[in-house]
Amino acid sequence: MTNKNGTLAIHGDWTLNDYQTLKQRVAEYSGQQWNTATIDIKSLGRVDTAGASLLAKLLGPELLAALTAQETSLPSEQSALLHAVADALMQKPSPEPEKLTPVSQFLTETGKTVEAIWHLIYLLSGFVGQIIATLSVVLPRPKRWRVTAFVAAIQNTGLNALPIVALLTFLVGAVVAFLGATVLEGFGATIYTVNLVAFSFLREFGVLLAAILLAGRTASAFTAQIGAMKVNEELDAIRTLGLDPVELLVIPRVLAMMVSLPILTFVGMLSGLVGGAMVCAISLDISPAQFMAIMERDIALQHFLVGMSKAPIFAFLIAAIGCLEGFKVGGSAQSVGVHTTSSVVQSIFIVILLDAVAALFFMEMGW
């Protein structure tokens, strides 16, 4: 670095090896004012980030960026490095956030929410399609069935959930019967408490309560299991071995849910009816035999079939959402918790939404 006739010529290597020497030379020229006409960097040799930071200190980041853009004889890698260091050292004031009115802020948040929901629907639709495509490949080939994983998933999703489903539906059946007896007593129609309990559990409560319990209990477990595997890079190992994670992890869980939820729905219907029958026997003097006779006379088989028909659809979507959220987990434990919560919320929401749509459909069809 030399100063001749008011022009500062920068030459030689500006690297970490010569940092102390260069730092002393830069200190000698500190405080002087330079411009692009009085700086010559054509003879600049090798440069690294340490040397570039000294050049920025000597000339100023703005002047260094201007020289880098003006001087075309420098290698492109050198120019890019100097420009990047100059940009990083420039003191650019951060723009002030735009102040939004309450209406604009509400519309902005609404737009973000709608966009997020659309993105979730888009991902779920693609994942459902991938599951169906994998099923179409695996099911015709019995050698590719993973029976052990399937049976283990049935035990976890169905058998272990049986007591809590039976207890909850029994208690809800008792509550519905109490409610019906209280309301219908004013009309002298307490006998119709049997119809109320039977209709509600065969068509709605049996499948809905079982699905919500599995959404909270099993979908979260699927997300946590697959998410932990992703955090531990086990999914990458599975792909490295030439295996398909959807076939290995998702298909057994989806099929197990589609077997478990109809069974749990049936158990929930029976438990709810038992709870209602117990309340009718205690409070309304309707014996279990009379309870069953009224059901046989007034309740058609189609109500049972309507409730059971929803179970496989709910099971498929709950399992798909739980597995999809597991695959979306990032590389931290916090991400596992966030997506586990998201899978539970999404599963319960989709179950209630589809149940409402199905109720309207069956009502319009006269079923």
Short mmCIF file of all heavy atoms in Angstrom, two decimals, residues 336-361:
data_model
loop_
_atom_site.label_atom_id
_atom_site.label_comp_id
_atom_site.label_asym_id
_atom_site.label_seq_id
_atom_site.Cartn_x
_atom_site.Cartn_y
_atom_site.Cartn_z
N VAL A 336 -41.50 -30.63 17.52
CA VAL A 336 -42.32 -31.83 17.79
C VAL A 336 -43.56 -31.44 18.58
O VAL A 336 -44.68 -31.87 18.26
CB VAL A 336 -41.50 -32.89 18.55
CG1 VAL A 336 -42.37 -34.08 18.93
CG2 VAL A 336 -40.31 -33.35 17.72
N GLY A 337 -43.40 -30.63 19.62
CA GLY A 337 -44.54 -30.20 20.41
C GLY A 337 -45.53 -29.37 19.62
O GLY A 337 -46.75 -29.56 19.74
N VAL A 338 -45.03 -28.46 18.78
CA VAL A 338 -45.92 -27.60 17.99
C VAL A 338 -46.76 -28.42 17.03
O VAL A 338 -47.98 -28.26 16.92
CB VAL A 338 -45.09 -26.55 17.22
CG1 VAL A 338 -45.95 -25.83 16.19
CG2 VAL A 338 -44.47 -25.55 18.19
N HIS A 339 -46.12 -29.35 16.32
CA HIS A 339 -46.86 -30.14 15.33
C HIS A 339 -47.75 -31.19 15.99
O HIS A 339 -48.78 -31.57 15.42
CB HIS A 339 -45.87 -30.78 14.36
CG HIS A 339 -45.27 -29.81 13.39
ND1 HIS A 339 -45.97 -29.31 12.32
CD2 HIS A 339 -44.05 -29.23 13.35
CE1 HIS A 339 -45.20 -28.47 11.64
NE2 HIS A 339 -44.03 -28.40 12.25
N THR A 340 -47.38 -31.65 17.17
CA THR A 340 -48.27 -32.56 17.90
C THR A 340 -49.56 -31.85 18.27
O THR A 340 -50.66 -32.39 18.09
CB THR A 340 -47.57 -33.10 19.16
OG1 THR A 340 -46.39 -33.81 18.79
CG2 THR A 340 -48.48 -34.03 19.93
N THR A 341 -49.43 -30.64 18.79
CA THR A 341 -50.63 -29.84 19.10
C THR A 341 -51.45 -29.57 17.85
O THR A 341 -52.68 -29.68 17.85
CB THR A 341 -50.21 -28.52 19.75
OG1 THR A 341 -49.42 -28.78 20.90
CG2 THR A 341 -51.42 -27.70 20.13
N SER A 342 -50.77 -29.24 16.75
CA SER A 342 -51.46 -28.95 15.50
C SER A 342 -52.22 -30.17 14.99
O SER A 342 -53.34 -30.03 14.49
CB SER A 342 -50.44 -28.48 14.45
OG SER A 342 -51.07 -28.25 13.21
N SER A 343 -51.64 -31.35 15.11
CA SER A 343 -52.32 -32.56 14.62
C SER A 343 -53.60 -32.82 15.41
O SER A 343 -54.62 -33.22 14.83
CB SER A 343 -51.39 -33.77 14.71
OG SER A 343 -51.15 -34.14 16.05
N VAL A 344 -53.57 -32.60 16.72
CA VAL A 344 -54.77 -32.82 17.54
C VAL A 344 -55.87 -31.82 17.14
O VAL A 344 -57.04 -32.20 16.94
CB VAL A 344 -54.44 -32.69 19.03
CG1 VAL A 344 -55.71 -32.76 19.87
CG2 VAL A 344 -53.47 -33.78 19.45
N VAL A 345 -55.50 -30.56 17.02
CA VAL A 345 -56.48 -29.53 16.67
C VAL A 345 -57.08 -29.80 15.29
O VAL A 345 -58.31 -29.74 15.10
CB VAL A 345 -55.83 -28.14 16.72
CG1 VAL A 345 -56.80 -27.07 16.21
CG2 VAL A 345 -55.39 -27.80 18.14
N GLN A 346 -56.23 -30.08 14.32
CA GLN A 346 -56.72 -30.34 12.97
C GLN A 346 -57.63 -31.57 12.92
O GLN A 346 -58.66 -31.57 12.24
CB GLN A 346 -55.55 -30.54 12.01
CG GLN A 346 -54.74 -29.29 11.72
CD GLN A 346 -53.61 -29.56 10.76
OE1 GLN A 346 -53.79 -30.19 9.73
NE2 GLN A 346 -52.42 -29.10 11.09
N SER A 347 -57.23 -32.63 13.62
CA SER A 347 -58.01 -33.87 13.59
C SER A 347 -59.40 -33.66 14.19
O SER A 347 -60.41 -34.08 13.60
CB SER A 347 -57.28 -34.98 14.35
OG SER A 347 -56.01 -35.23 13.79
N ILE A 348 -59.46 -33.01 15.36
CA ILE A 348 -60.76 -32.77 15.99
C ILE A 348 -61.62 -31.86 15.12
O ILE A 348 -62.83 -32.09 14.94
CB ILE A 348 -60.57 -32.18 17.39
CG1 ILE A 348 -59.90 -33.21 18.31
CG2 ILE A 348 -61.90 -31.74 17.99
CD1 ILE A 348 -59.57 -32.69 19.70
N PHE A 349 -61.00 -30.84 14.54
CA PHE A 349 -61.75 -29.91 13.68
C PHE A 349 -62.32 -30.63 12.46
O PHE A 349 -63.51 -30.47 12.13
CB PHE A 349 -60.85 -28.76 13.24
CG PHE A 349 -61.49 -27.81 12.28
CD1 PHE A 349 -62.37 -26.84 12.73
CD2 PHE A 349 -61.25 -27.91 10.92
CE1 PHE A 349 -62.99 -25.97 11.85
CE2 PHE A 349 -61.87 -27.04 10.03
CZ PHE A 349 -62.73 -26.07 10.50
N ILE A 350 -61.51 -31.44 11.80
CA ILE A 350 -61.98 -32.10 10.57
C ILE A 350 -63.04 -33.13 10.90
O ILE A 350 -63.99 -33.34 10.13
CB ILE A 350 -60.79 -32.73 9.81
CG1 ILE A 350 -61.19 -33.00 8.35
CG2 ILE A 350 -60.31 -34.01 10.46
CD1 ILE A 350 -61.34 -31.78 7.53
N VAL A 351 -62.94 -33.79 12.06
CA VAL A 351 -63.95 -34.77 12.45
C VAL A 351 -65.29 -34.09 12.68
O VAL A 351 -66.34 -34.54 12.18
CB VAL A 351 -63.49 -35.53 13.71
CG1 VAL A 351 -64.66 -36.24 14.37
CG2 VAL A 351 -62.41 -36.54 13.36
N ILE A 352 -65.29 -33.00 13.43
CA ILE A 352 -66.56 -32.30 13.70
C ILE A 352 -67.13 -31.69 12.43
O ILE A 352 -68.35 -31.72 12.20
CB ILE A 352 -66.33 -31.23 14.79
CG1 ILE A 352 -65.93 -31.90 16.10
CG2 ILE A 352 -67.58 -30.38 14.98
CD1 ILE A 352 -65.58 -30.94 17.21
N LEU A 353 -66.26 -31.12 11.58
CA LEU A 353 -66.73 -30.53 10.33
C LEU A 353 -67.37 -31.59 9.43
O LEU A 353 -68.48 -31.39 8.91
CB LEU A 353 -65.56 -29.87 9.61
CG LEU A 353 -65.86 -29.26 8.24
CD1 LEU A 353 -66.88 -28.13 8.37
CD2 LEU A 353 -64.60 -28.77 7.56
N LEU A 354 -66.72 -32.72 9.24
CA LEU A 354 -67.26 -33.77 8.38
C LEU A 354 -68.54 -34.37 8.99
O LEU A 354 -69.45 -34.75 8.25
CB LEU A 354 -66.22 -34.86 8.16
CG LEU A 354 -65.07 -34.49 7.23
CD1 LEU A 354 -64.13 -35.68 7.08
CD2 LEU A 354 -65.58 -34.08 5.85
N ASP A 355 -68.58 -34.46 10.31
CA ASP A 355 -69.79 -34.99 10.94
C ASP A 355 -70.98 -34.07 10.70
O ASP A 355 -72.09 -34.54 10.45
CB ASP A 355 -69.55 -35.16 12.44
CG ASP A 355 -70.70 -35.88 13.13
OD1 ASP A 355 -70.87 -37.09 12.89
OD2 ASP A 355 -71.43 -35.22 13.89
N ALA A 356 -70.73 -32.76 10.77
CA ALA A 356 -71.82 -31.81 10.49
C ALA A 356 -72.27 -31.90 9.03
O ALA A 356 -73.48 -31.89 8.74
CB ALA A 356 -71.35 -30.39 10.81
N VAL A 357 -71.32 -32.01 8.11
CA VAL A 357 -71.66 -32.13 6.68
C VAL A 357 -72.43 -33.43 6.44
O VAL A 357 -73.43 -33.46 5.71
CB VAL A 357 -70.39 -32.07 5.82
CG1 VAL A 357 -70.71 -32.40 4.37
CG2 VAL A 357 -69.75 -30.70 5.93
N ALA A 358 -71.97 -34.53 7.07
CA ALA A 358 -72.66 -35.81 6.91
C ALA A 358 -74.07 -35.76 7.47
O ALA A 358 -75.01 -36.34 6.89
CB ALA A 358 -71.85 -36.93 7.58
N ALA A 359 -74.25 -35.10 8.61
CA ALA A 359 -75.59 -34.99 9.20
C ALA A 359 -76.54 -34.26 8.26
O ALA A 359 -77.70 -34.69 8.07
CB ALA A 359 -75.51 -34.27 10.55
N LEU A 360 -76.07 -33.17 7.64
CA LEU A 360 -76.91 -32.45 6.70
C LEU A 360 -77.21 -33.31 5.47
O LEU A 360 -78.34 -33.32 4.96
CB LEU A 360 -76.21 -31.15 6.27
CG LEU A 360 -76.05 -30.09 7.36
CD1 LEU A 360 -75.23 -28.92 6.84
CD2 LEU A 360 -77.41 -29.59 7.83
N PHE A 361 -76.21 -34.04 4.99
CA PHE A 361 -76.39 -34.87 3.81
C PHE A 361 -77.42 -35.98 4.08
O PHE A 361 -78.35 -36.18 3.29
CB PHE A 361 -75.05 -35.48 3.40
CG PHE A 361 -75.15 -36.51 2.30
CD1 PHE A 361 -75.34 -36.12 1.00
CD2 PHE A 361 -75.06 -37.86 2.60
CE1 PHE A 361 -75.44 -37.07 -0.03
CE2 PHE A 361 -75.16 -38.81 1.60
CZ PHE A 361 -75.35 -38.42 0.28
#
